[in-house]
Amino acid sequence: MFLDIQLDHTIVALASGQGGAIANIRISGKKTFDVIGHFFSNNKIQISQGNEIFFGKIIDNKGALIDECLVSCFKSPKSYTGEDSVEIHCHASPYIIAQIIQLCLANGCVHAQPGEFTMRAFLNGKMDLAQAEAVADIIASDNKAAHAIAMNQLRGGFSQDIVQLREGIMRLAALLELELDFGEEDVEFANRQELSSLLKSSINKISQLIASFKLGNVIKDGIPIAIIGEPNVGKSTLLNVFLGEERAIVSEIAGTTRDTIEDTVVWDGYKIRFIDTAGLRKTEDVIEKMGIDRALDSIKKAQIILHIFDKKEGFAEMHSMLLTHSEADSLILKVHNKSDLIEQLEVQPDIHISAKNKTGIEALKARIIDHIKSQIKPFNTLVVNSRHIQELSSTKQALEKALDCLEHEDTHDFIAAELRFALHHLGSLTGQIQTDDLLDIIFRDFCIGK
Ligand SMILES: Nc1nc2c(ncn2[C@@H]2O[C@H](COP(=O)(O)OP(=O)(O)OP(=O)(O)O)[C@@H](O)[C@H]2O)c(=O)[nH]1
Ligand SMILES: [Mg+2]
């Protein structure tokens, strides 16, 4: 439990992952230099002003040489945690790592808890809460777009939005509170028109941040694209072309794919999750029916739906089914496959391809990427954290109530109370307002050493 965290402890943990040639052991806290002085041969580290690297030997209490290594030295407040801190870059042998950590523990360190280095950075004012949360997202990011979102948050992009909102509301809330101090006297320090337009613009801004959540998460986890159509139209062939491998079985027998098949690719920095599905048709086969149910489910979840068809018959019926089952904001592309067999078709598709001959694929890929980019463009900041969405929704609710009170000319104490609520929720986003429980929830999912 984080409630046990004691800042006067000096902590140690392995910060690097499994494998590799070099490991990184981190120490942070008041006794850092005392601890390392017990087993690191280069005493110059003791008089360092920080931001220096020292070469030396790690020698245990019986005089045995454990390793030769580099130690980076950081002096408070100029370190990740804000405390005195060192990073020992030793050889990545599990034996050496265990020995060095044991030496640290024997000489005054305690094991760091998950996320404790970052939590200390937050508690010591090196970053706000939203930035600290972004550290976990940076570590987890596996594609350019997810990395960009986390990096923006780490560099304070999201926090800036919140601080701006908070400052505007705080100024007017202060004036309203002043009116409350004057009690019975009928004074108005806060201009009602200004208050109303500030409330409206803040609600707008927050709505935009909330709206970005779905897209933000989709980008983080992979943008779902469902490949849908009747049996035998070439859906699995197209999946294989997109993935560049024979992932799904392809055959001329209608009903080859029974289950949904998912796999990801990274295109232009975006992680895309393709979902190949069972061909949709009326069937009495129990297994095939289950596959069709899964296909219908993927239509709901997909950001983009590729409606694959190879003939005119049944097209309109299938397309209207897709329109009813899909989310309003998802894109349905009409993709005519097997264009090597039929050139002309009465149905007007968005694109002609031949999955078998790999023609039209680049154009289809370009359409998909253009759509993704156009979806992201309106958002400066994408919110990806569900805690942030909860706080933003509560803020919005309070501001809407405040606006309602204002429009009904309720007394100013009602408005002031709602603004206080809103400020409370905005404050807990960046950590100006915090509770131990909140910190506990945020940091417990971190890895040890971060
Ligand atoms: N001529 C031609 N044949 C194609 C093309 N794309 C796929 N095929 C063939 O069409 C047949 C069906 O392909 P699949 O990819 O298995 O079709 P599917 O839509 O996944 O079929 P189900 O899984 O049964 O729903 C195979 O024989 C493919 O080789 C194409 O562009 N041109
Ligand atoms: Mg198939």
Side-chain angles (χ1 to χ4, degrees):
M1 285 286 283
F2 271 101
L3 308 183
D4 297 339
I5 275 194
Q6 294 185 22
L7 286 176
D8 54 349
H9 281 162
T10 296
I11 52 172
V12 62
L14 177 68
S16 52
Q18 291 281 321
I22 304 292
N24 182 358
I25 296 169
R26 249 182 181 171
I27 307 176
S28 181
K30 288 197 184 78
K31 285 193 279 182
T32 294
F33 290 97
D34 176 48
V35 170
I36 193 131
H38 280 91
F39 53 81
F40 186 54
S41 66
N42 190 339
N43 285 327
K44 283 191 200 139
I45 198 168
Q46 299 296 340
I47 49 164
S48 169
Q49 298 300 306
N51 293 343
E52 276 188 284
I53 297 178
F54 296 90
F55 175 76
K57 296 185 180 82
I58 304 278
I59 296 166
D60 74 10
N61 50 2
K62 294 194 183 99
L65 175 65
I66 304 295
D67 200 7
E68 288 190 340
C69 58
L70 294 173
V71 176
S72 321
C73 155
F74 306 93
K75 283 282 190 174
S76 172
K78 290 186 179 171
S79 72
Y80 180 73
T81 54
E83 304 168 333
D84 281 351
S85 168
V86 295
E87 291 184 8
I88 303 169
H89 311 283
C90 61
H91 292 100
S93 127
Y95 175 74
I96 292 176
I97 294 167
Q99 290 301 304
I100 295 177
I101 290 180
Q102 279 312 314
L103 282 172
C104 294
L105 296 172
N107 289 294
C109 279
V110 298
H111 279 294
Q113 303 194 40
E116 188 169 349
F117 290 93
T118 306
M119 189 182 199
R120 285 179 179 225
F122 164 67
L123 293 173
N124 291 320
K126 297 296 284 189
M127 56 176 83
D128 69 28
L129 210 47
Q131 286 172 308
E133 287 170 294
V135 173
D137 282 340
I138 290 269
I139 295 169
S141 68
D142 63 355
N143 63 80
K144 188 173 157 192
H147 170 260
I149 296 173
M151 209 34 122
N152 177 42
Q153 191 176 323
L154 180 67
R155 300 190 64 203
F158 174 66
S159 306
Q160 251 166 28
D161 286 347
I162 301 306
V163 167
Q164 261 172 21
L165 277 167
R166 200 159 180 262
E167 278 172 0
I169 297 169
M170 197 128 64
R171 197 171 55 78
L172 288 168
L175 292 175
L176 277 174
E177 298 285 349
L178 204 60
E179 289 178 15
L180 290 179
D181 288 347
F182 277 76
E184 297 303 303
E185 295 170 51
D186 204 10
V187 286
E188 269 192 15
F189 293 116
N191 178 315
R192 294 304 188 256
Q193 228 168 354
E194 198 189 331
L195 183 56
S196 162
S197 70
L198 179 93
L199 286 174
K200 283 179 188 154
S201 68
S202 303
I203 291 168
N204 258 343
K205 175 80 198 166
I206 293 173
S207 304
Q208 208 184 21
L209 288 172
I210 294 174
S212 77
F213 181 63
K214 186 177 162 202
L215 190 62
N217 265 293
V218 151
I219 288 175
K220 202 164 114 179
D221 301 333
I223 300 153
I225 300 186
I227 308 175
I228 307 282
E230 289 182 25
N232 222 24
V233 291
K235 300 180 295 300
S236 301
T237 310
L238 181 61
L239 174 81
N240 291 344
V241 171
F242 282 151
L243 300 179
E245 59 174 293
E246 298 304 307
R247 175 76 172 78
I249 298 172
V250 165
S251 88
E252 67 289 344
I253 304 163
T256 303
T257 307
R258 293 284 184 112
D259 208 344
T260 48
I261 302 174
E262 288 194 27
D263 219 328
T264 56
V265 288
V266 176
W267 279 354
D268 226 27
Y270 299 104
K271 183 169 164 184
I272 294 172
R273 201 152 45 82
F274 283 110
I275 310 157
D276 179 24
T277 60
L280 300 179
R281 65 174 168 186
K282 289 197 174 63
T283 175
E284 291 309 315
D285 184 317
V286 183
I287 307 290
E288 194 174 355
K289 265 188 185 160
M290 287 162 82
I292 289 174
D293 283 345
R294 289 187 179 194
L296 294 174
D297 206 39
S298 333
I299 296 170
K300 251 192 216 85
K301 290 189 199 138
Q303 198 77 13
I304 300 176
I305 295 157
L306 303 180
H307 174 187
I308 316 290
F309 63 99
D310 60 358
K311 56 184 181 309
K312 182 183 103 202
E313 291 74 35
F315 170 85
E317 199 184 341
M318 176 75 74
H319 204 70
S320 68
M321 186 283 289
L322 288 178
L323 285 169
T324 30
H325 279 79
S326 59
E327 289 288 321
D329 60 350
S330 56
L331 170 77
I332 306 176
L333 280 178
K334 303 170 201 158
V335 182
H336 170 221
N337 189 31
K338 306 194 185 179
S339 61
D340 53 308
L341 299 181
I342 315 168
E343 283 287 322
Q344 284 300 324
L345 205 71
E346 283 159 56
V347 176
Q348 190 53 45
D350 293 307
I351 197 154
H352 295 278
I353 63 163
S354 166
K356 194 173 179 180
N357 297 342
K358 299 193 175 73
T359 56
I361 304 297
E362 282 306 312
L364 177 56
K365 186 172 161 181
R367 280 295 288 269
I368 291 172
I369 293 171
D370 279 355
H371 177 73
I372 294 170
K373 286 186 176 161
S374 73
Q375 293 288 99
I376 296 171
K377 209 171 169 197
F379 299 106
N380 287 327
T381 303
L382 290 171
V383 181
V384 288
N385 186 306
S386 51
R387 184 185 78 85
H388 296 176
I389 287 299
Q390 265 174 17
E391 298 294 359
L392 286 169
S393 304
S394 306
T395 309
K396 189 180 161 197
Q397 242 174 26
L399 293 180
E400 280 169 347
K401 277 192 199 154
L403 186 63
D404 194 52
C405 293
L406 188 69
E407 280 167 359
H408 289 91
E409 296 184 7
D410 288 341
T411 54
H412 43 218
D413 45 346
F414 283 126
I415 307 173
E418 294 301 341
L419 293 190
R420 252 178 269 138
F421 273 133
L423 288 172
H424 173 85
H425 291 295
L426 283 177
S428 60
L429 277 171
T430 47
Q432 276 117 331
I433 291 167
Q434 53 177 283
T435 65
D436 289 341
D437 285 350
L438 174 64
L439 298 186
D440 204 20
I441 291 165
I442 291 173
F443 287 97
R444 82 180 157 209
D445 292 335
F446 268 68
C447 47
I448 293 176
K450 197 60 224 180

